[in-house]
Amino acid sequence: MTLRIGMIGPGGMGQAHIERIHSVIAGGRVVAVTDLNAENARKVADRIGATVFPSAAELIASNDVDAVMICSFGPAHEPDVIAAVEAGTYVFCEKPLAPTAEACARIMEAEQKAGKKLVTVGFMRRFDASYREMKAILDAGEIGEALMVHNAHRNPTVPESYTWDMAINDTAIHEIDTMRWLLGEEFVSARVDKPKKTTNRFPHLQDPLVLILTTTSGVRVDDEIFVNCQYGYDIQCELVGENGAVRLSDQELVQRADLQGRRNRLTMDHNQRFGQAFVREVQEWITAVSQDRHTGSTAWDGYAAACVCDAGVKALEADGEVAVEMMPKPAFYA
Ligand code: ISE
């Protein structure tokens, strides 16, 4: 059986998913699209032979759609995720699940009412081979208890439309989710350090910045966010334990040598760096949904990440630590 997928908001991310689903991923096909930008919907649909729906509500209600992928802009997610859940339809929603913790809580409420886990959040780093190996080493006790994690998240540039809170809730949200998953703990506080600003930034941005998070057991996680670093999409992570440390290696397996010296090529964007992780993530989702099973990050993960982002955004304006406010985890998500 081929899973018939309806895509809401096929922008850059959505089109990259379509490309993967129609080339290297098995068991699914995007048969329906809708977009606030009707011309874009028409273009994408013509290219892949899909049907255009005038609205997300009509796409979700269609008998020709088995499951839904939401790849629109974060602030538009909530009503579409809730409509899918109320229709009893599995939904893969790109991160962030919704821009605020309250909005994510409303999604969890709808899902609990539906009585079935239907929502998967697109946190792709959990599917990256190197992060997975890091987690396996930690879980096997090979480096003792985790004490600290040092992260860097560097983008070559960002557009002028990138607002300063996005450094936390659009960029750092990846480390926030990955660290919760890696360490198996929640965060209790957030602080932001603001170093000297790069001249390669739009004036409204604090770039770079360092987000400092503490978990319930006291593990300290720092995350350098530098979104105008110019030279590449450079993702770093070093986990320091009691008896050893593990760090992500460079993604290029070979090193080249020429007149410029010895070097490893750097990726330039998330689709290159996490290409394999996206494939694994979407493949697992299609396989699971075809068997009427949930897989991947839950709406609770989307909510918990949003709570930490809310504290991080407050910390951007505040001096010192901001407490992370989070409801107790509902038994439904245990
Ligand atoms: C973007 O939305 C992403 O998800 C990328 O992975 C991240 O590196 C970038 O900073 C975000 O804007």
Side-chain angles (χ1 to χ4, degrees):
M1 166 205 150
T2 300
L3 188 76
R4 298 168 306 168
I5 301 166
M7 180 168 292
I8 300 172
M13 196 63 232
Q15 290 181 43
H17 281 318
I18 292 176
E19 175 59 33
R20 284 184 261 278
I21 292 168
H22 291 184
S23 57
V24 289
I25 292 176
R29 179 132 206 110
V30 175
V31 298
V33 297
T34 187
D35 198 340
L36 290 176
N37 177 342
E39 200 189 316
N40 182 51
R42 167 57 51 209
K43 255 199 227 148
V44 173
D46 284 351
R47 206 172 58 235
I48 62 172
T51 307
V52 177
F53 281 81
S55 70
E58 285 159 273
L59 178 145
I60 292 164
S62 165
N63 286 332
D64 296 330
V65 168
D66 303 316
V68 169
M69 285 185 102
I70 299 182
C71 300
S72 51
F73 182 48
H77 291 174
E78 182 188 351
D80 297 343
V81 178
I82 291 182
V85 164
E86 286 175 347
T89 303
Y90 284 101
V91 51
F92 177 100
C93 181
E94 263 310 329
K95 52 76 33 184
L97 177 56
T100 64
E102 289 83 53
C104 293
R106 287 191 289 272
I107 290 172
M108 286 197 294
E109 219 177 286
E111 196 178 37
Q112 290 175 79
K113 235 182 243 158
K116 186 174 173 184
K117 275 193 210 114
L118 295 164
V119 179
T120 296
V121 184
F123 285 129
M124 80 296 195
R125 291 198 191 180
R126 296 176 177 222
F127 296 85
D128 178 70
S130 34
Y131 277 115
R132 283 188 165 193
E133 190 168 345
M134 192 176 250
K135 181 163 172 59
I137 291 170
L138 177 67
D139 290 351
E142 290 173 29
I143 58 166
E145 293 279 308
L147 305 175
M148 295 177 284
V149 194
H150 309 298
N151 294 278
H153 187 154
R154 300 188 190 140
N155 291 177
T157 53
V158 286
E160 194 166 8
S161 55
Y162 185 98
T163 50
W164 89 320
D165 55 305
M166 286 171 77
I168 306 290
N169 53 32
D170 192 60
T171 298
I173 191 170
H174 283 296
E175 280 79 23
I176 290 170
D177 177 69
T178 312
M179 295 300 105
R180 290 181 56 251
W181 164 81
L182 176 72
L183 299 169
E185 287 188 60
E186 296 298 352
F187 288 114
V188 292
S189 69
R191 193 184 96 213
V192 172
D193 280 1
K194 299 172 196 153
K196 179 171 174 173
K197 295 175 189 165
T198 172
T199 53
N200 295 315
R201 71 183 208 289
F202 289 106
H204 60 278
L205 296 183
Q206 166 61 54
D207 190 37
L209 59 81
V210 184
L211 175 67
I212 296 151
L213 301 166
T214 307
T215 68
T216 11
S217 79
V219 180
R220 192 191 130 118
V221 172
D222 51 74
D223 191 13
E224 172 207 305
I225 303 297
F226 186 14
V227 294
N228 290 285
C229 81
Q230 311 296 303
Y231 69 86
Y233 186 79
D234 189 5
I235 303 299
Q236 301 175 24
C237 178
E238 183 184 28
L239 163 65
V240 184
E242 294 171 298
N243 316 314
V246 205
R247 79 163 77 204
L248 294 187
S249 60
D250 288 329
Q251 292 307 296
E252 280 281 294
L253 298 177
V254 292
Q255 193 182 51
R256 52 190 85 196
D258 58 20
L259 289 174
Q260 331 263 344
R262 282 190 195 283
R263 61 215 153 82
N264 292 30
R265 203 174 44 140
L266 279 166
T267 53
M268 291 306 283
D269 65 36
H270 55 275
N271 276 315
Q272 281 178 3
R273 169 62 183 82
F274 291 107
Q276 293 301 322
F278 281 122
V279 168
R280 203 171 289 140
E281 173 188 45
V282 177
Q283 179 68 74
E284 280 191 23
W285 179 72
I286 288 177
T287 305
V289 168
S290 302
Q291 299 165 352
D292 193 15
R293 279 192 293 114
H294 177 272
T295 189
S297 318
T298 61
W300 166 261
D301 294 312
Y303 165 80
C307 292
V308 182
C309 287
D310 284 355
V313 170
K314 275 190 204 145
L316 263 175
E317 320 260 3
D319 274 336
E321 295 213 322
V322 174
V324 174
E325 285 167 30
M326 205 180 281
M327 68 169 84
K329 191 174 186 173
F332 183 82
Y333 293 105

